[in-house]
Amino acid sequence: MVISMDKEQMNTLGAIHIAGRAVSVIAAIAAAQVEGVVMLHSNLADSVAAMLGKGASAKGISTSINGDIAEIRVSLVVRYGSRIPDIALRVQEAVKENVEAMTGYNVRAVNIVIQSIDFNQAGGIAETKR
Amino acid sequence: MSDTEELKYEVSDSVLANVAKIAALDVPGIAGLSTTIVDSFVVGMSERLGKKRMRGVAVKNEKGLITIDIFLIAYYGDDLRILAGSVQHAVKEAIQSMMDTASIQVNVSIEDVILKDSGQ
């Protein structure tokens, strides 16, 4: 009845709708909490701590929603020295789990883009300089 | 209103919108109303015409059927579906406690999520 790309559920009281922007923020928070993730997207100059401020940012996340199904793309900056496939997998799991638990969308895909590597916080591993 | 046989009254849409707003903001987990999205929300609920829009709440009052669309910002942490359900109940109760009305439809849209200030 209602033409909307986003999810809408009807109950006896009316419709419930969760916007893509809300999904993006949830994904951003989940991704930022994964060990080895320095930040989401280079634009977000502040580190993960910035996420704790008011108005959580959804930078680096793009969400597309079609009916019940959500696809999320996450751009990351990871810490130098960490194994990228492991981080990517953990981010995928965290994002999927959080978004599904909080919104009820089926997360069909979490696509990870490693945007950059941060050398400043290379935990314990000596930087290779020439 | 020509009918004078019984007590007739009307409650204006802006009153309903305010009642709905206060009730919704009282629900734990709700951070505020989403204002900007409503205006640019072309597709979807608010596109159905004839509704008075104000500050994240759209009210339509037609022959005893009150439809309220409310656009909210939630805090991160809760299941948004449950949260939206609580808002529906709170708004419905608040309006029914003020006026006898047959049916109310409360459409809740969670537009955005923010983190609470107190660090996690």
Side-chain angles (χ1 to χ4, degrees):
Chain A
M1 188 183 155
V2 180
I3 309 132
S4 170
M5 294 297 281
D6 296 1
K7 182 176 181 130
E8 245 176 53
Q9 309 171 322
M10 282 297 287
N11 57 24
T12 50
L13 288 170
I16 289 175
H17 165 262
I18 295 166
R21 156 103 193 138
V23 175
S24 293
V25 175
I26 291 166
I29 293 167
Q33 285 170 350
V34 171
E35 172 75 25
V37 174
V38 176
M39 60 181 116
L40 304 160
H41 203 252
S42 40
N43 264 4
L44 190 60
D46 305 323
S47 64
V48 179
M51 300 294 298
L52 300 172
K54 232 181 187 175
S57 171
K59 272 177 193 161
I61 309 273
S62 67
T63 303
S64 73
I65 286 162
N66 196 347
D68 229 17
I69 292 159
E71 278 190 37
I72 300 163
R73 185 175 175 277
V74 184
S75 300
L76 296 175
V77 178
V78 298
R79 187 183 305 141
Y80 176 78
S82 37
R83 218 178 102 79
I84 288 171
D86 293 348
I87 294 177
L89 183 64
R90 281 205 298 273
V91 170
Q92 285 177 321
E93 285 168 352
V95 167
K96 182 177 162 74
E97 199 175 295
N98 270 269
V99 169
E100 287 185 347
M102 284 182 67
T103 66
Y105 284 114
N106 286 315
V107 178
R108 191 173 59 187
V110 181
N111 300 316
I112 310 285
V113 179
I114 307 296
Q115 202 92 44
S116 177
I117 294 177
D118 181 31
F119 291 95
N120 295 325
Q121 310 175 18
I125 296 170
E127 283 180 57
T128 48
K129 276 181 184 168
R130 275 163 221 185
Chain B
M1 299 283 110
S2 57
D3 195 343
T4 51
E5 286 169 5
E6 50 184 298
L7 176 64
K8 285 257 178 187
Y9 65 95
E10 269 185 44
V11 178
S12 87
D13 288 354
S14 55
V15 171
L16 293 173
N18 259 320
V19 171
K21 177 179 145 189
I22 291 162
L25 292 179
D26 249 12
V27 175
I30 293 297
L33 288 164
S34 170
T35 54
T36 50
I37 307 288
V38 180
D39 303 323
S40 58
F41 204 69
V42 190
V43 190
M45 292 194 284
S46 56
E47 210 196 16
R48 284 175 267 149
L49 295 172
K51 286 183 194 175
K52 196 170 261 182
R53 288 182 191 173
M54 63 161 277
R55 292 183 177 185
V57 188
V59 173
K60 191 169 83 172
N61 190 351
E62 238 175 29
K63 292 167 189 162
L65 173 64
I66 298 169
T67 309
I68 293 166
D69 294 346
I70 188 157
F71 300 82
L72 296 167
I73 301 166
Y75 284 123
Y76 179 82
D78 298 324
D79 187 326
L80 298 180
R81 292 163 294 174
I82 294 167
L83 185 65
S86 323
V87 171
Q88 287 182 317
H89 279 285
V91 169
K92 188 182 177 178
E93 263 175 38
I95 287 181
Q96 280 187 332
S97 71
M98 294 185 74
M99 53 188 287
D100 300 326
T101 182
S103 42
I104 300 175
Q105 196 186 332
V106 185
N107 301 323
V108 176
S109 181
I110 308 289
E111 293 294 328
D112 206 347
V113 173
I114 61 167
L115 281 168
K116 262 187 181 154
D117 268 342
S118 50
Q120 276 182 320

